[in-house]
mmCIF file of all heavy atoms in Angstrom:
data_model
loop_
_atom_site.group_PDB
_atom_site.id
_atom_site.type_symbol
_atom_site.label_atom_id
_atom_site.label_comp_id
_atom_site.label_asym_id
_atom_site.label_seq_id
_atom_site.Cartn_x
_atom_site.Cartn_y
_atom_site.Cartn_z
ATOM 1 N N LEU B 250 110.205 108.995 106.205
ATOM 2 C CA LEU B 250 109.817 107.564 105.910
ATOM 3 C C LEU B 250 109.579 106.685 107.145
ATOM 4 O O LEU B 250 108.542 105.867 107.172
ATOM 5 C CB LEU B 250 111.033 106.911 105.178
ATOM 6 C CG LEU B 250 110.912 105.493 104.816
ATOM 7 C CD1 LEU B 250 109.689 105.144 103.902
ATOM 8 C CD2 LEU B 250 112.268 105.084 104.011
ATOM 9 N N SER B 251 110.353 106.912 108.266
ATOM 10 C CA SER B 251 110.136 106.113 109.404
ATOM 11 C C SER B 251 109.320 106.680 110.449
ATOM 12 O O SER B 251 109.300 107.875 110.656
ATOM 13 C CB SER B 251 111.489 105.845 110.054
ATOM 14 O OG SER B 251 112.408 105.307 109.179
ATOM 15 N N LEU B 252 108.558 105.849 111.099
ATOM 16 C CA LEU B 252 107.590 106.302 112.192
ATOM 17 C C LEU B 252 108.626 106.998 113.301
ATOM 18 O O LEU B 252 108.217 107.969 113.867
ATOM 19 C CB LEU B 252 106.863 105.186 112.870
ATOM 20 C CG LEU B 252 105.792 104.646 112.009
ATOM 21 C CD1 LEU B 252 105.099 103.483 112.753
ATOM 22 C CD2 LEU B 252 104.759 105.608 111.534
ATOM 23 N N HIS B 253 109.769 106.342 113.498
ATOM 24 C CA HIS B 253 110.681 106.798 114.627
ATOM 25 C C HIS B 253 111.189 108.230 114.350
ATOM 26 O O HIS B 253 111.757 108.819 115.287
ATOM 27 C CB HIS B 253 111.743 105.876 114.914
ATOM 28 C CG HIS B 253 112.717 105.506 113.797
ATOM 29 N ND1 HIS B 253 112.938 104.226 113.434
ATOM 30 C CD2 HIS B 253 113.353 106.289 112.957
ATOM 31 C CE1 HIS B 253 113.895 104.256 112.490
ATOM 32 N NE2 HIS B 253 114.158 105.492 112.151
ATOM 33 N N ASP B 254 111.179 108.687 113.152
ATOM 34 C CA ASP B 254 111.543 110.073 112.861
ATOM 35 C C ASP B 254 110.534 111.098 112.877
ATOM 36 O O ASP B 254 110.779 112.301 112.595
ATOM 37 C CB ASP B 254 112.098 110.039 111.290
ATOM 38 C CG ASP B 254 113.694 109.726 111.352
ATOM 39 O OD1 ASP B 254 114.246 109.723 112.557
ATOM 40 O OD2 ASP B 254 114.129 109.425 110.294
ATOM 41 N N ARG B 255 109.280 110.743 113.204
ATOM 42 C CA ARG B 255 108.166 111.704 113.130
ATOM 43 C C ARG B 255 107.855 112.152 114.556
ATOM 44 O O ARG B 255 107.653 111.341 115.505
ATOM 45 C CB ARG B 255 106.919 111.051 112.576
ATOM 46 C CG ARG B 255 107.114 110.630 111.047
ATOM 47 C CD ARG B 255 105.865 110.333 110.459
ATOM 48 N NE ARG B 255 106.151 109.361 109.343
ATOM 49 C CZ ARG B 255 105.352 108.618 108.789
ATOM 50 N NH1 ARG B 255 103.924 108.554 109.175
ATOM 51 N NH2 ARG B 255 105.560 107.819 107.640
ATOM 52 N N PRO B 256 107.797 113.535 114.795
ATOM 53 C CA PRO B 256 107.492 113.971 116.156
ATOM 54 C C PRO B 256 106.217 113.381 116.607
ATOM 55 O O PRO B 256 106.081 113.135 117.899
ATOM 56 C CB PRO B 256 107.414 115.503 115.933
ATOM 57 C CG PRO B 256 108.112 115.711 114.595
ATOM 58 C CD PRO B 256 107.961 114.466 113.815
ATOM 59 N N ASP B 257 105.246 113.157 115.835
ATOM 60 C CA ASP B 257 103.916 112.681 116.220
ATOM 61 C C ASP B 257 103.514 111.533 115.298
ATOM 62 O O ASP B 257 102.844 111.913 114.287
ATOM 63 C CB ASP B 257 102.972 113.774 116.243
ATOM 64 C CG ASP B 257 101.624 113.311 116.872
ATOM 65 O OD1 ASP B 257 101.318 112.095 117.104
ATOM 66 O OD2 ASP B 257 100.610 114.196 116.814
ATOM 67 N N PRO B 258 103.854 110.238 115.502
ATOM 68 C CA PRO B 258 103.575 109.254 114.497
ATOM 69 C C PRO B 258 102.079 109.012 114.201
ATOM 70 O O PRO B 258 101.748 108.602 113.140
ATOM 71 C CB PRO B 258 104.082 107.947 115.172
ATOM 72 C CG PRO B 258 105.080 108.437 116.083
ATOM 73 C CD PRO B 258 104.739 109.653 116.642
ATOM 74 N N LEU B 259 101.206 109.418 115.092
ATOM 75 C CA LEU B 259 99.772 109.190 114.891
ATOM 76 C C LEU B 259 99.235 110.403 113.972
ATOM 77 O O LEU B 259 98.016 110.307 113.617
ATOM 78 C CB LEU B 259 98.982 109.211 116.136
ATOM 79 C CG LEU B 259 99.337 108.031 117.161
ATOM 80 C CD1 LEU B 259 98.437 108.081 118.403
ATOM 81 C CD2 LEU B 259 99.066 106.642 116.441
ATOM 82 N N ALA B 260 99.977 111.443 113.742
ATOM 83 C CA ALA B 260 99.509 112.463 112.874
ATOM 84 C C ALA B 260 99.957 112.094 111.368
ATOM 85 O O ALA B 260 101.088 112.059 111.069
ATOM 86 C CB ALA B 260 100.187 113.807 113.129
ATOM 87 N N PHE B 261 98.988 111.622 110.614
ATOM 88 C CA PHE B 261 99.345 111.201 109.185
ATOM 89 C C PHE B 261 99.362 112.494 108.328
ATOM 90 O O PHE B 261 98.502 112.709 107.542
ATOM 91 C CB PHE B 261 98.175 110.254 108.757
ATOM 92 C CG PHE B 261 98.549 108.794 108.880
ATOM 93 C CD1 PHE B 261 99.517 108.356 109.745
ATOM 94 C CD2 PHE B 261 98.027 107.830 108.018
ATOM 95 C CE1 PHE B 261 99.762 106.996 109.969
ATOM 96 C CE2 PHE B 261 98.334 106.527 108.108
ATOM 97 C CZ PHE B 261 99.232 106.064 109.049
ATOM 98 N N ASN B 262 100.461 113.249 108.632
ATOM 99 C CA ASN B 262 100.432 114.589 107.956
ATOM 100 C C ASN B 262 100.389 114.538 106.470
ATOM 101 O O ASN B 262 99.612 115.346 105.784
ATOM 102 C CB ASN B 262 101.776 115.299 108.335
ATOM 103 C CG ASN B 262 101.702 115.812 109.758
ATOM 104 O OD1 ASN B 262 100.689 116.138 110.312
ATOM 105 N ND2 ASN B 262 102.892 115.679 110.404
ATOM 106 N N ALA B 263 101.171 113.663 105.709
ATOM 107 C CA ALA B 263 100.971 113.557 104.299
ATOM 108 C C ALA B 263 99.626 113.237 103.815
ATOM 109 O O ALA B 263 99.175 113.805 102.847
ATOM 110 C CB ALA B 263 102.098 112.578 103.720
ATOM 111 N N ALA B 264 98.972 112.352 104.530
ATOM 112 C CA ALA B 264 97.573 111.951 104.201
ATOM 113 C C ALA B 264 96.642 113.223 104.290
ATOM 114 O O ALA B 264 95.929 113.333 103.386
ATOM 115 C CB ALA B 264 97.166 110.820 105.111
ATOM 116 N N GLY B 265 96.809 113.919 105.362
ATOM 117 C CA GLY B 265 96.022 115.057 105.542
ATOM 118 C C GLY B 265 96.197 116.200 104.493
ATOM 119 O O GLY B 265 95.452 116.748 103.990
ATOM 120 N N ILE B 266 97.546 116.473 104.303
ATOM 121 C CA ILE B 266 97.909 117.579 103.478
ATOM 122 C C ILE B 266 97.586 117.239 101.980
ATOM 123 O O ILE B 266 97.072 118.169 101.197
ATOM 124 C CB ILE B 266 99.411 117.894 103.620
ATOM 125 C CG1 ILE B 266 99.720 118.462 104.935
ATOM 126 C CG2 ILE B 266 99.757 118.917 102.492
ATOM 127 C CD1 ILE B 266 101.248 118.503 105.342
ATOM 128 N N SER B 267 97.748 116.057 101.525
ATOM 129 C CA SER B 267 97.409 115.651 100.168
ATOM 130 C C SER B 267 95.922 115.822 99.868
ATOM 131 O O SER B 267 95.432 116.204 98.828
ATOM 132 C CB SER B 267 97.929 114.246 99.889
ATOM 133 O OG SER B 267 97.274 113.351 100.595
ATOM 134 N N ILE B 268 95.112 115.417 100.866
ATOM 135 C CA ILE B 268 93.736 115.639 100.700
ATOM 136 C C ILE B 268 93.333 117.045 100.656
ATOM 137 O O ILE B 268 92.456 117.479 99.723
ATOM 138 C CB ILE B 268 92.912 114.856 101.751
ATOM 139 C CG1 ILE B 268 92.954 113.379 101.545
ATOM 140 C CG2 ILE B 268 91.426 115.299 101.863
ATOM 141 C CD1 ILE B 268 92.225 112.486 102.538
ATOM 142 N N SER B 269 93.884 117.886 101.480
ATOM 143 C CA SER B 269 93.422 119.328 101.438
ATOM 144 C C SER B 269 93.942 119.856 100.267
ATOM 145 O O SER B 269 93.269 120.801 99.602
ATOM 146 C CB SER B 269 93.900 120.077 102.617
ATOM 147 O OG SER B 269 95.168 119.948 102.903
ATOM 148 N N GLN B 270 95.130 119.566 99.692
ATOM 149 C CA GLN B 270 95.644 120.129 98.402
ATOM 150 C C GLN B 270 94.742 119.651 97.247
ATOM 151 O O GLN B 270 94.450 120.562 96.322
ATOM 152 C CB GLN B 270 97.093 119.660 98.202
ATOM 153 C CG GLN B 270 98.100 120.410 98.966
ATOM 154 C CD GLN B 270 99.628 119.880 98.654
ATOM 155 O OE1 GLN B 270 99.777 119.032 97.871
ATOM 156 N NE2 GLN B 270 100.503 120.562 99.291
ATOM 157 N N ALA B 271 94.440 118.366 97.179
ATOM 158 C CA ALA B 271 93.654 117.914 96.038
ATOM 159 C C ALA B 271 92.245 118.629 96.060
ATOM 160 O O ALA B 271 91.731 118.958 95.064
ATOM 161 C CB ALA B 271 93.515 116.383 96.046
ATOM 162 N N CYS B 272 91.660 118.771 97.254
ATOM 163 C CA CYS B 272 90.340 119.252 97.335
ATOM 164 C C CYS B 272 90.249 120.765 97.032
ATOM 165 O O CYS B 272 89.340 121.271 96.389
ATOM 166 C CB CYS B 272 89.776 119.064 98.766
ATOM 167 S SG CYS B 272 89.244 117.268 98.925
ATOM 168 N N ARG B 273 91.337 121.412 97.530
ATOM 169 C CA ARG B 273 91.455 122.929 97.208
ATOM 170 C C ARG B 273 91.626 123.073 95.671
ATOM 171 O O ARG B 273 90.915 124.031 95.207
ATOM 172 C CB ARG B 273 92.682 123.534 97.928
ATOM 173 C CG ARG B 273 92.669 125.099 97.920
ATOM 174 C CD ARG B 273 93.872 125.719 98.661
ATOM 175 N NE ARG B 273 94.251 124.951 99.791
ATOM 176 C CZ ARG B 273 95.505 124.555 100.179
ATOM 177 N NH1 ARG B 273 96.487 124.740 99.363
ATOM 178 N NH2 ARG B 273 95.708 123.857 101.255
#
Side-chain angles (χ1 to χ4, degrees):
Chain B
L250 178 58
S251 303
L252 294 182
H253 61 229
D254 270 347
R255 300 188 202 161
D257 180 0
L259 296 181
F261 264 25
N262 287 328
I266 295 166
S267 64
I268 285 180
S269 54
Q270 284 183 357
C272 287
R273 194 180 319 131

